[in-house]
Amino acid sequence: MVTTAWRPRGRAASAAPLFAPLVGRHPWAGAAGGPASSVVHPASPQAGQIALLWWIAVGISAVVYVLVVAAFFIAIARHRAQEGPPAGADPRAERRATRIVIGAAVATVVILAAWFGLSVASARALERPPAHPVRVEVIGHQWWWELHYAGASPSDAVTSANELHVPVGIPVQLQLASADVIHSFWVPSLDGKRDLIPGTRTTTWFRVDRPGVYRGQCAELCGLEHAHMALLVIAEPKAQFDQWLATQRAPAVPPADPVTWRGQAIFLGAACSLCHTIRGTGAGALSAPDLTHLASRRTIAAGALPNAPGTLGAWIADPHAFKRGTIMPATRLDGGAMQALVAYLRSLR
Amino acid sequence: MTAVPTAVPTSHEEELDRARRLEAAWGSPHGLVGALRTVDHKAIGRRYVLTALTFFAIGGVLATLMRLQLRQPGAHVLSAEQYNQIFTMHGSTMMFLFAVPVMEGMMIYLVPLLVGTRNVAFPRLNAFGYFIYVLGGIFFYVAFLLHAGPDVGWFAYTPLSLSRFSPGKGPDVWAQLITFTELSALVVAVEIVVTIARQRTVGMTPQRMPIFVWASLVTAVMIIFAMPAIMLSSSMLIMDRLVNTHFFDVAQGGSALLWQHLFWFFGHPEVYIIFIPAMGMVSEIVETFSGRPIVGRPAVIASLAATGTLGFGLWVHHMFATTVPPVGGSFFTATSILISIPTGVQIFCWIATLWTGRPRVTVPLLFVAAFIVVFVIGGLSGVMIASVPLDLQLHDTFFIVAHFHYVLIGGGVLPLFGGLYYWIPKATGRLLSERAGRWHFWLWLIGFNVVFFPMHFLGLAGMPRRVYTYQPDTGWGPLNLLASSGVLLVIAGAVVFVVALLRSRTHGAAAGDDPWRAPSLEWGTSSPPPSYNYLDLPTVRSAVPRWTAHADQPVIAGVRDDVREVLVTRFADAQPDHRARLAGPSIWPFVLAITTTVGFIWSIFDPWGVPIGLILCAPPLIAWFWPWTRERDPRRAPLASEAAA
């Protein structure tokens, strides 16, 4: 029977390193390479449960596969090229063949029934919603993720994009919705996927047990830039998470020097403010990611580019070069103006 | 009773005379116009198979382009637009223009031969079905080359495929391709059902029907039940796009998920519509090359029927991620697991047949071996993703891409190649090169696994389907490169097959009537079969008629040889019922296909295309059914014995 509690040192965990080079990056490698993304290197009890199911299925399948293929080839090789009447003429051999077929069919039914039981028990365990979770609303857009953390009062609410910060060891429940087409929320190291469906609210939950950066990506074809709709989950200890939340609640840092002042003026004067919000300034449009704390994020354009001065400038000047389908228009600015704008955006910590 | 013993001596001259009369009655007209008029099921079946194989090659080229694009992170072989169009075209081509039609073609070619009759039940309808299929395919590719190709996937999920998110004509073109292929598939299904039900030769009771004929019957019945769902949904989609209905538009009270239910209610049986005929081919090949009747014949037949029935009860497993209530999830998990049992039973029966037989390892049997090696992996991964929790991880990833290629190539294409190596000698009179066949087998077996096995791991590592590129830091590069490199082997195997096919026409050894010592009827006529299939229509006294025929096995007499007349038998006991006249060559099915095509294409741009198309179709329909001949043959002519009595 499936144990509902995930044991990190269980059978699944011990089998995993064997295939490590093939099935994705281990969470601990997060700092060195890219963020973790692997079904078989779970970092939550939910993904752990499924990984256990996976290894059981692989084990059974390997045995069944070897038996079936071996039987087939032995059957061909046994009497190959022998002449004479086939054994079909012998009624005893016939009866034995029939009995073996029936036996194999019964064995199949037994294995499948056991698998069904395991699967349903696992599903039941995963369907139990957590108590006192951190709630986050996730809204899918073509092609980015909008994230809302409710606060004690509306003014405490936090809006961010493409980077989901969560506390370690505390369940997180996501309320999923879509602003346009069907998307699918999927972070392989943390849980199975859940669709974001227009006109419907769906929900999913997980509890991250190891701090780290986990990669996710939209899993349902959502149009031209489906490939560029990534998401990072950043799991931190509770204290760090609270601190992050407090920082995000604050309005944008006001410009501190002439360059950033100029940058802010450009932002508010150009097309930027028609779509983006920077809380604490006049920019309050809602159709594009909230940029109030843009500089605190690791990537831009839903994971298409790292968040660095060079990439930010290149993105603003010609977003379609990196993400052809994006709705964001190109912004033509001379060198100094662009530098000022980038400096301002980089100051939004 | 119409069967008389062959023991009655007939002179050679008499036989030649009869053959000449039959040829005059059943022969196809010559020339280009003649080719458009022909109603010979063998000519039409051949066309289906060759056209479908051409589309298979085109789909393969598209797949190669995708593998080039994905061979490394951030490659620029294709743009996002091109990639999305190409995977949509690839999926739609392989499902609608290759896999289903090629199986239909095999059924149209083989079923009349296997049941011992001279043509399918509705010969002109058969010709019409082919033209609709090929015109639909041409229309689809012309649209693609004119940059109006669909780019929303072969499943065209709403709301992405609605006008708001997909302006342009792409999804309309896709939906109308569906209309073309549905129409053609329904036509084939009706012919196959009627041909099998009423034109089996004397003595071929249901329990003696060849297993491929059983598979064809199950497939045809599945088509009749599955196609209306997609016909409905593609019409609703095109209406949402064209005349502003709101079936799928959430903002207007429609439902985004309704589409998925309707689509997969068709889409899942569709897989079995491809798979079941292939299983029929495997049974025929295993029986012939093990040299003994198949073990557990009733179980194999029951398995085909069970697969065809269960196939309608598991569509929701494509939708687990949309959130399915627990009981519903368990139900669809159970059905998805259950469907592996009949397939398992068939595999066990084949193994037992070979085990107790005297297997001869030929190319067709090698492809059956390839089928076992490949398909069983796909079947097992299918049982894995029947589980809701595991499916939530693996759904819509490259693991699924691997899974369904193992199932469809393993369970559809490899048996098909076995079937082609097996039956092409019958169709052309020439054997295919055994050596080339072995090369083809090894190149595909290795190449296929190099391409698709790594995709399992890519899915586990988080790579979703339908992405045109990926970032270097995902670590997906090396396995993608490996997968892409395997394409070379697959292409080489395909080239070997095409060369072997062409060379066999000039250099192939003569096949003779029966190169394989096979048990079924078609190996008793010449290769290629004459236009009338059998000079003497055979009768049947077992499930393996050619292995058990008496020296004086009766043949059917009393069916006219100077007109297109066939014997109609009763369903259950396969005893003579009456004789029926079949329609002869006609140009009107072709003309009707053209006018139907005009209507279908017109309606993409303008709703008036529907009534105009209907009006355009009226003249060819009237001409088709006009009683041109003065002689009015009663549909039910009395049998010779009845007349005497």
Side-chain angles (χ1 to χ4, degrees):
Chain A
M1 195 36 44
V2 171
T3 51
T4 50
W6 165 243
R7 288 166 295 129
R9 303 234 172 271
R11 176 180 164 186
S14 61
L18 213 62
F19 295 86
L22 290 176
V23 289
R25 205 164 264 123
H26 197 274
W28 301 116
S37 161
S38 169
V39 171
V40 294
H41 294 143
S44 75
Q46 287 74 20
Q49 178 90 54
I50 298 174
L52 183 64
L53 214 50
W54 159 255
W55 288 115
I56 292 169
V58 168
I60 298 170
S61 299
V63 173
V64 170
Y65 183 74
V66 169
L67 289 177
V68 170
V69 171
F72 183 85
F73 282 100
I74 293 169
I76 286 188
R78 260 176 103 232
H79 294 294
R80 192 148 60 103
Q82 280 183 19
E83 287 302 323
D90 174 10
R92 266 192 322 167
E94 278 305 84
R95 274 200 299 276
R96 213 180 51 203
T98 311
R99 272 204 300 274
I100 290 172
V101 167
I102 292 171
V106 169
T108 309
V109 171
V110 170
I111 292 171
L112 291 175
W115 172 242
F116 175 71
L118 271 176
S119 167
V120 170
S122 226
R124 285 287 144 79
L126 292 169
E127 270 152 14
R128 221 164 290 135
H132 313 298
V134 172
R135 286 207 169 79
V136 187
E137 189 187 3
V138 179
I139 300 169
H141 292 262
Q142 281 183 322
W143 295 279
W144 59 283
W145 305 90
E146 181 180 348
L147 308 167
H148 294 285
Y149 295 77
S153 68
S155 61
D156 283 346
V158 165
T159 300
S160 182
N162 302 329
E163 281 185 22
L164 178 64
H165 283 250
V166 296
V168 169
I170 297 171
V172 180
Q173 182 160 16
L174 305 179
Q175 309 287 336
L176 306 168
S178 169
D180 36 53
V181 300
I182 298 174
H183 302 276
S184 194
F185 180 93
W186 184 41
V187 183
S189 303
L190 302 182
D191 199 5
K193 54 190 71 64
R194 188 66 70 191
D195 288 354
L196 291 72
I197 303 165
T200 321
R201 295 231 145 202
T202 51
T203 180
T204 186
W205 52 85
F206 50 79
R207 187 186 79 213
V208 191
D209 283 345
R210 281 199 293 260
V213 181
Y214 304 94
R215 188 174 188 284
Q217 187 167 350
C218 175
E220 184 59 82
L221 176 67
C222 56
L224 196 58
E225 289 294 347
H226 169 54
H228 283 138
M229 190 167 163
L231 165 110
L232 293 179
V233 175
I234 294 152
E236 306 158 315
K238 178 81 167 77
Q240 237 170 298
F241 169 75
D242 287 339
Q243 198 187 342
W244 173 83
L245 206 56
T247 315
Q248 298 285 312
R249 272 192 195 121
V253 186
D257 56 64
V259 178
T260 46
W261 267 115
R262 187 178 166 210
Q264 188 188 46
I266 292 166
F267 185 91
L268 297 173
C272 315
S273 59
L274 296 177
C275 298
H276 291 282
T277 290
I278 296 180
R279 272 178 291 130
T281 72
L286 297 174
S287 57
D290 186 306
L291 301 180
T292 310
H293 298 284
L294 174 66
S296 71
R297 304 209 277 260
R298 295 166 191 229
T299 64
I300 55 173
L305 290 169
N307 191 358
T311 51
L312 195 54
W315 169 255
I316 294 167
D318 188 5
H320 302 103
F322 305 97
K323 197 165 168 176
R324 249 184 96 81
T326 184
I327 301 153
M328 176 160 155
T331 307
R332 304 259 172 262
L333 294 170
D334 64 55
M338 180 62 85
Q339 263 175 6
L341 179 59
V342 170
Y344 171 63
L345 292 172
R346 296 288 298 166
S347 75
L348 299 173
R349 309 223 149 262
Chain B
M1 188 66 208
T2 48
V4 299
T6 39
V8 175
T10 52
S11 74
H12 189 58
E13 285 71 35
E14 259 175 27
E15 259 185 23
L16 276 178
D17 200 38
R18 219 145 45 83
R20 262 195 301 275
R21 278 202 304 277
L22 281 165
E23 179 61 38
W26 289 91
S28 289
H30 300 287
L32 179 64
V33 178
L36 296 177
R37 293 175 62 213
T38 186
V39 292
D40 183 344
H41 74 98
K42 296 180 292 300
I44 293 166
R46 224 168 25 230
R47 283 176 198 173
Y48 260 106
V49 173
L50 286 174
T51 312
L53 287 175
T54 308
F55 279 118
F56 186 42
I58 295 170
V61 169
L62 299 178
T64 307
L65 288 172
M66 287 191 280
R67 284 318 315 169
L68 272 174
Q69 167 68 14
L70 292 181
R71 75 190 189 282
Q72 64 185 54
H76 288 292
V77 178
L78 302 172
S79 67
E81 292 98 322
Q82 286 170 331
Y83 189 87
N84 288 6
Q85 279 193 31
I86 282 177
F87 76 67
T88 304
M89 295 295 291
H90 169 79
S92 306
T93 301
M94 290 308 199
M95 294 303 276
F96 299 119
L97 296 175
F98 162 63
V100 171
V102 83
M103 296 302 173
E104 291 167 355
M106 294 297 276
M107 294 193 287
I108 287 168
Y109 190 95
L110 291 170
V111 164
L113 284 165
L114 281 161
V115 302
T117 187
R118 301 203 196 275
N119 204 348
V120 291
F122 308 112
R124 290 185 181 173
L125 192 63
N126 193 19
F128 172 73
Y130 171 75
F131 291 127
I132 282 292
Y133 153 60
V134 73
L135 288 170
I138 291 169
F139 147 76
F140 194 49
Y141 271 87
V142 167
F144 174 57
L145 295 174
L146 295 175
H147 300 286
D151 60 355
V152 290
W154 84 277
F155 44 87
Y157 274 9
T158 57
L160 181 62
S161 56
L162 298 180
S163 326
R164 188 142 60 96
F165 302 106
S166 295
K169 285 292 164 199
D172 303 287
V173 167
W174 178 86
Q176 215 57 315
L177 169 79
I178 301 300
T179 314
F180 277 104
T181 51
E182 276 157 17
L183 183 53
S184 134
L186 281 171
V187 158
V188 172
V190 167
E191 284 155 20
I192 293 295
V193 168
V194 177
T195 306
I196 294 174
R198 300 310 303 273
Q199 284 182 234
R200 275 171 292 127
T201 192
V202 174
M204 190 181 279
T205 54
Q207 50 273 43
R208 292 179 189 160
M209 266 160 56
I211 291 177
F212 182 76
V213 175
W214 265 110
S216 302
L217 181 62
V218 172
T219 306
V221 172
M222 286 190 82
I223 289 176
I224 292 170
F225 282 98
M227 291 290 166
I230 186 73
M231 194 170 256
L232 185 68
S233 52
S234 67
S235 304
M236 284 156 79
L237 174 64
I238 217 165
M239 282 162 75
D240 265 15
R241 293 180 55 87
L242 200 65
V243 293
N244 297 316
T245 53
H246 304 294
F247 295 111
F248 306 115
D249 187 352
V250 176
Q252 303 290 334
S255 161
L257 284 184
L258 174 62
W259 169 266
Q260 294 190 24
H261 283 287
L262 288 171
F263 182 82
W264 289 117
F265 187 80
F266 144 83
H268 201 87
E270 171 94 340
V271 175
Y272 293 98
I273 287 168
I274 295 161
F275 175 68
I276 289 176
M279 295 306 90
M281 293 175 193
V282 170
S283 284
E284 298 292 327
I285 292 169
V286 166
E287 193 164 62
T288 293
F289 293 106
S290 62
R292 57 152 297 161
I294 202 154
V295 172
R297 195 182 146 79
V300 171
I301 293 169
S303 296
L304 292 172
T307 307
T309 313
L310 283 171
F312 284 93
L314 29 78
W315 79 95
V316 172
H317 76 206
H318 296 270
M319 300 169 60
F320 284 155
T322 62
T323 308
V324 177
V327 176
S330 305
F331 175 83
F332 286 99
T333 296
T335 51
S336 308
I337 288 175
L338 270 180
I339 201 156
S340 60
I341 293 172
T343 305
V345 167
Q346 286 181 81
I347 291 176
F348 301 145
C349 287
W350 295 324
I351 292 174
T353 308
L354 290 163
W355 192 282
T356 52
R358 293 277 181 274
R360 282 173 287 148
V361 180
T362 54
V363 174
L365 194 64
L366 282 178
F367 274 92
V368 170
F371 149 73
I372 293 284
V373 169
V374 171
F375 173 79
V376 175
I377 292 179
L380 289 167
S381 61
V383 173
M384 292 181 190
I385 53 179
S387 155
V388 174
L390 206 42
D391 180 69
L392 290 179
Q393 277 287 25
L394 301 172
H395 177 68
D396 269 338
T397 70
F398 262 79
F399 188 95
I400 298 294
V401 177
H403 160 71
F404 68 71
H405 282 92
Y406 270 83
V407 171
L408 286 171
I409 293 186
V413 177
L414 294 175
L416 172 73
F417 275 114
L420 288 173
Y421 280 99
Y422 181 65
W423 276 300
I424 280 176
K426 173 52 61 185
T428 64
R430 304 277 191 163
L431 290 170
L432 290 168
S433 153
E434 188 78 7
R435 200 160 62 108
R438 282 169 194 263
W439 272 98
H440 180 193
F441 161 77
W442 283 111
L443 285 166
W444 270 49
L445 185 63
I446 298 169
F448 171 83
N449 281 296
V450 173
V451 174
F452 291 101
F453 203 73
M455 291 184 187
H456 291 112
F457 298 111
L458 285 169
L460 291 173
M463 183 166 177
R465 287 170 76 176
R466 303 157 188 150
V467 290
Y468 75 93
T469 191
Y470 50 95
Q471 310 281 353
D473 71 350
T474 52
W476 301 332
L479 284 173
N480 269 302
L481 184 62
L482 179 63
S484 295
S485 67
V487 173
L488 292 171
L489 296 177
V490 176
I491 292 175
V495 169
V496 167
F497 173 72
V498 171
V499 170
L501 191 60
L502 295 176
R503 266 186 67 89
S504 80
R505 301 313 300 270
T506 51
H507 294 70
D513 288 2
D514 183 7
W516 313 121
R517 282 177 272 150
S520 45
L521 291 180
E522 78 273 25
W523 303 100
T525 187
S526 63
S527 307
S531 57
Y532 44 89
N533 288 354
Y534 294 97
L535 184 61
D536 293 310
L537 290 167
T539 60
V540 163
R541 60 186 286 268
S542 80
V544 282
R546 285 176 48 73
W547 288 347
T548 55
H550 285 304
D552 60 350
Q553 182 74 22
V555 296
I556 291 167
V559 179
R560 281 173 72 172
D561 53 14
D562 56 343
V563 290
R564 292 176 174 248
E565 192 170 84
V566 293
L567 180 68
V568 177
T569 54
R570 291 195 296 263
F571 178 79
D573 60 0
Q575 289 303 311
D577 189 36
H578 63 276
R579 293 172 296 167
R581 287 281 287 275
L582 294 184
S586 165
I587 194 67
W588 298 110
F590 175 71
V591 178
L592 181 66
I594 296 280
T595 55
T596 310
T597 301
V598 169
F600 282 173
I601 297 177
W602 195 325
S603 66
I604 290 178
F605 299 95
D606 181 356
W608 280 102
V610 177
I612 290 169
L614 280 172
I615 292 165
L616 283 176
C617 287
L621 272 171
I622 292 167
W624 179 337
F625 292 107
W626 194 263
W628 295 104
T629 45
R630 289 173 60 85
E631 179 201 6
R632 286 209 45 198
D633 276 293
R635 281 275 146 178
R636 192 195 141 96
L639 296 173
S641 54
E642 290 174 13

